[in-house]
Amino acid sequence: DVKVTQSSRYLVKRTGEKVFLECVQDMDHENMFWYRQDPGLGLRLIYFSYDVKMKEKGDIPEGYSVSREKKERFSLILESASTNQTSMYLCASSLESLGNEQYFGPGTRLTVT
Amino acid sequence: QKEVEQDPGPLSVPEGAIVSLNCTYSNSAFQYFMWYRQYSRKGPELLMYTYSSGNKEDGRFTAQVDKSSKYISLFIRDSQPSDSATYLCASFAGGTSYGKLTFGQGTILTVHP
C-alpha cells in the first residue's frame, strides 16, 4: 500500500513564524503536491513537483515556498506565517504510469494565531 | 469561473436512498475524471476513475461522464451511513500535465439511519 505521511496532524504557530510542513511518500512516486483545503473552497493547489529539485507553482503559491531535495520528501515552507494561512494542508503523490491517481496524506491542521 | 464546479451541499438523505452527486467542467481538454471520498479528519481517497465518456460501475457506485455536456456524476445506490463523507470530483487533461488534477469544491453528504 502507498503511504503518504505528514509530519504533524495539528500545529499551532504565531504570526510571523517560519513554518515547515514535511511530507514523505514510500512508493517512489515522481509527482508530489501540496494543497490547502478550506470550507467552501475545496482543494487548492499551492505547489507541485515532478522530480527532485523541480517545482512548479500551483494556483495559490503566494506566501509559500517548497523544497524537494530527495524524491520521497516534499516540504512546504511558510516564510512568515499569517492568520489567513490557517487551514488544512494536504500532501499527495502520484505516478504518471499509474494513471496519475493521487494518494493523500492525513493532512495537517495549521492554526496561526 | 472555476474549471470544475461542484455544488458543496450539504446533502442529507435517509439510509437506502439513491444519491446523485454532480460536477460540471469547462476545460474541453479534460479526458480523465475521478471521484474522491474524504472522511472527516482524513485525506481524500480515490473512489472511481473514468476515462472519456461513459459509465463505470463498482458495487453500489456508478460514475458517469458526458463530455458533450461537460457533466460528471456519481450515483450511490442503497446509501449507507458509512457513505457519509465529502465527495470531490477531479479532472485532468493527460499529456504533460505532471499529474496535476483540478478539483471541485466537494459535496458534503450525510446519510442518516
Side-chain angles (χ1 to χ4, degrees):
Chain A
D1 272 358
V2 176
K3 190 132 189 197
V4 179
T5 55
Q6 295 184 228
S7 49
S8 307
R9 291 301 304 273
Y10 300 94
L11 210 52
V12 180
K13 295 292 181 180
R14 294 195 180 276
T15 301
E17 278 193 82
K18 191 167 186 175
V19 182
F20 293 87
L21 302 181
E22 299 278 321
C23 176
V24 178
Q25 50 95 3
D26 66 357
M27 283 301 292
D28 204 34
H29 283 179
E30 63 234 356
N31 303 322
M32 296 189 74
F33 307 83
W34 274 107
Y35 297 90
R36 62 178 283 178
Q37 186 175 31
D38 301 287
L41 297 177
L43 288 172
R44 292 183 291 167
L45 182 64
I46 304 171
Y47 267 96
F48 66 101
S49 168
Y50 53 90
D51 202 350
V52 175
K53 297 192 188 294
M54 305 305 289
K55 59 187 179 186
E56 293 282 340
K57 291 180 181 178
D59 300 318
I60 51 163
E62 296 78 20
Y64 303 95
S65 62
V66 290
S67 172
R68 193 163 180 205
E69 296 295 319
K70 292 185 178 180
K71 192 173 185 179
E72 68 271 18
R73 189 178 296 268
F74 192 35
S75 302
L76 180 70
I77 302 149
L78 286 66
E79 295 290 342
S80 177
S82 63
T83 54
N84 63 13
Q85 292 179 310
T86 292
S87 187
M88 170 68 83
Y89 289 87
L90 288 160
C91 174
S93 71
S94 73
L95 190 64
E96 205 147 329
S97 60
L98 288 182
N100 289 313
E101 174 187 349
Q102 289 190 12
Y103 294 84
F104 284 83
T108 295
R109 168 69 64 186
L110 172 67
T111 302
V112 182
T113 61
Chain B
Q1 182 194 3
K2 289 180 181 291
E3 284 191 301
V4 179
E5 296 272 6
Q6 184 176 5
D7 183 345
L11 189 60
S12 180
V13 301
E15 185 175 352
I18 296 174
V19 176
S20 172
L21 303 168
N22 305 295
C23 293
T24 58
Y25 65 94
S26 57
N27 188 340
S28 299
F30 286 156
Q31 298 183 66
Y32 301 86
F33 304 92
M34 300 171 173
W35 284 95
Y36 282 79
R37 179 174 60 194
Q38 184 179 20
Y39 291 117
S40 182
R41 289 184 289 278
K42 296 273 180 78
E45 292 179 303
L46 184 68
L47 185 61
M48 299 286 283
Y49 186 127
T50 54
Y51 169 69
S52 194
S53 280
N55 290 3
K56 185 173 184 179
E57 192 172 317
D58 184 1
R60 297 183 295 109
F61 298 88
T62 300
Q64 197 171 75
V65 176
D66 182 347
K67 291 192 76 179
S68 62
S69 59
K70 296 189 177 66
Y71 208 77
I72 313 163
S73 301
L74 179 71
F75 299 97
I76 307 174
R77 291 184 300 281
D78 188 24
S79 56
Q80 301 295 309
S82 58
D83 295 328
S84 299
T86 298
Y87 290 81
L88 299 134
C89 60
S91 304
F92 74 99
T96 56
S97 64
Y98 300 119
K100 183 183 163 188
L101 301 181
T102 302
F103 285 89
Q105 297 94 313
T107 300
I108 300 169
L109 171 68
T110 302
V111 182
H112 51 86

